[in-house]
Amino acid sequence: MANTRKRSPRNRTLMVSPDERPWLLSKLTVQRPKTPLAAPAEGTILGDFRDWVGLLPRNHVDLLFLDPPYNLDKEFNGRRFSRKDVGEYTAWLDGIIALLLPLLKPTATVYICGDWLTSVSVFSAASRHLTVRNRISWEREKGRGAKRNWKNASEDIWYCTVSEEYTFNVDAVKLRRKVLAPYTDSSGSPKDWVRSHNGGYRDTHPSNLWTDITIPFWSMPENTNHPTQKSEKLLAKLILASSNPGDFVLDPFLGSGTTSVVAKKLGRRFLGIECDETYALLAAKRLEMAESEKGIQGFSDGVFWERNTLALQRDKTKPSLAERVLF
Ligand SMILES: C[S@@+](CC[C@H](N)C(=O)[O-])C[C@H]1O[C@@H](n2cnc3c(N)ncnc32)[C@H](O)[C@@H]1O
């Protein structure tokens, strides 16, 4: 039956129309090559990443982003992921990390996403193969309220590296915050903050508690119908911190394409693999749009802004990069 529900004019959710499908399908890599690839082309592979790992070059990836299905009963466009017991999920994840490990450079970084339940598995599996450096807790705000439990409104992103030698560009991911206690020195000049006519602000070290990122929703231009889409701002922080321009970013659970889109916008090379055609087409569409649209919501002028700072972001008196006070 045709969907007769009217879409709100402010609903910007991206979709792939039947007319666009053949064109976008032509952008996907579908056929497996007969021999391993020396340097894979940038883009999106439609397939199961486990069938492709052996065809990808070893020692090639600078940044691996793993956003696997969490240990929940969940439908991904008709493909069902069924909840396993914790030991089984840990073994499943362990197998995935072991499979992908040969693709990584010795200087590579790996981020692995999870929720409260899978985090125990992520730590256990990751620490067998990698150095686990931190766990970022992301308050994603939205979540279904529960009558007999606490609402689940956070996720974890585990930060791991292959070795002691790794990239961490701390200055690229500082958070711009409004100054609540604007101290001045004896001459009346700001101490460790910058004055603007909307108030003062300072750029602060990025912590492992992220409260400035929402999950994409219907009025955001990056939003799709993917059930577990990550936001571009979240990926931008990870990619800027843990890779340099020209580095190679791999996402074998690409979903709607967020990792590749952000890698492209930030001048990194990228490859994403997604087994579902509808999602892979969405990724292809977003990558086409990223040819001209380089903006990342919540990241402007090379700065991440905390929530509710729109007035500050629009402030025309804000200083240049060189004038910022960093501490
Ligand atoms: C949690 S979602 C990733 C969402 C993604 N980060 C985004 O921003 O849209 C996991 C995705 O991995 C895909 N997937 C699951 N198993 C896969 C496999 N073996 N090979 C490739 N893709 C797979 C699912 O179809 C799903 O879209």
Side-chain angles (χ1 to χ4, degrees):
M1 204 164 69
N3 185 358
T4 48
R5 270 188 32 207
K6 261 203 147 168
R7 200 170 127 136
S8 150
R10 285 179 46 233
N11 185 341
R12 302 174 78 178
T13 303
L14 278 171
M15 288 195 253
V16 172
S17 70
D19 292 352
E20 290 172 315
R21 281 184 95 88
W23 167 63
L24 292 171
L25 205 49
S26 74
K27 306 277 171 199
L28 302 177
T29 303
V30 181
Q31 284 297 331
R32 291 195 321 142
K34 296 214 163 47
T35 52
L37 298 162
E42 283 187 318
T44 308
I45 291 173
L46 170 58
D48 187 319
F49 78 87
R50 293 167 296 188
D51 298 334
W52 280 83
V53 170
L55 295 164
L56 299 177
R58 296 179 159 238
N59 197 10
H60 192 74
V61 172
D62 296 288
L63 176 56
L64 173 66
F65 181 70
L66 289 179
D67 186 11
Y70 297 174
N71 201 8
L72 304 164
D73 291 320
K74 189 125 196 140
E75 289 262 341
F76 290 93
N77 200 29
R79 274 191 184 80
R80 190 166 178 75
F81 186 92
S82 301
R83 186 168 177 163
K84 310 172 190 303
D85 75 38
V86 172
E88 218 187 318
Y89 187 85
T90 308
W92 177 77
L93 210 53
D94 191 299
I96 288 168
I97 299 170
L99 191 65
L100 293 164
L101 213 52
L103 306 185
L104 305 181
K105 288 186 183 168
T107 50
T109 296
V110 182
Y111 286 102
I112 310 173
C113 302
D115 62 2
W116 70 270
L117 178 61
T118 58
S119 264
V120 60
S121 301
V122 177
F123 180 78
S124 167
S127 56
R128 275 176 30 88
H129 303 280
L130 302 159
T131 300
V132 178
R133 299 202 169 271
N134 212 328
R135 182 190 67 184
I136 298 163
S137 291
W138 165 44
E139 185 201 8
R140 65 174 154 81
E141 267 204 345
K142 289 198 172 176
R144 196 167 293 163
K147 284 215 172 89
R148 290 163 58 80
N149 201 339
W150 307 100
K151 181 169 118 177
N152 198 11
S154 71
E155 293 186 25
D156 292 328
I157 304 150
W158 290 84
Y159 170 42
C160 315
T161 61
V162 173
S163 72
E164 293 304 307
E165 202 188 322
Y166 57 94
T167 298
F168 193 69
N169 302 315
V170 72
D171 284 337
V173 287
K174 285 194 165 162
L175 185 67
R176 182 158 291 186
R177 285 182 188 279
K178 216 172 158 92
V179 176
L180 299 177
Y183 295 115
T184 52
D185 62 20
S186 51
S187 68
S189 301
K191 266 179 97 171
D192 296 336
W193 56 277
V194 170
R195 198 169 261 140
S196 89
H197 69 237
N198 278 315
Y201 63 81
R202 61 162 61 106
D203 293 341
T204 61
H205 271 94
S207 81
N208 62 358
L209 182 61
W210 290 7
T211 57
D212 59 315
I213 302 176
T214 168
I215 51 173
F217 53 88
W218 58 276
S219 61
M220 285 168 73
E222 68 189 75
N223 191 51
T224 73
N225 281 331
H226 191 288
T228 61
Q229 182 182 352
K230 292 280 186 292
S231 78
E232 294 190 11
K233 185 179 180 188
L234 185 142
L235 263 303
K237 286 195 187 205
L238 303 179
I239 290 174
L240 283 166
S242 297
S243 69
N244 294 307
D247 278 358
F248 193 86
V249 180
L250 175 67
D251 185 341
F253 293 100
L254 185 66
S256 64
T258 314
T259 309
S260 294
V261 167
V262 177
K264 180 172 180 160
K265 289 181 177 179
L266 296 174
R268 274 66 172 171
R269 293 175 297 137
F270 57 89
L271 181 67
I273 310 176
E274 169 56 49
C275 64
D276 181 85
E277 184 176 298
T278 301
Y279 300 149
L281 291 173
L282 267 175
K285 178 163 177 164
R286 292 178 70 194
L287 281 168
E288 286 301 308
M289 292 168 69
E291 289 286 333
S292 52
E293 177 47 66
K294 302 285 179 204
I296 295 170
Q297 200 161 337
F299 176 65
S300 55
D301 293 341
V303 179
F304 290 98
W305 300 81
E306 73 177 330
R307 274 188 188 149
N308 304 323
T309 50
L310 213 57
L312 264 176
Q313 292 182 44
R314 289 184 179 143
D315 191 331
K316 297 287 173 262
T317 66
K318 63 180 179 278
S320 68
L321 211 66
E323 290 169 312
R324 275 187 217 133
V325 178
L326 302 176
F327 74 103

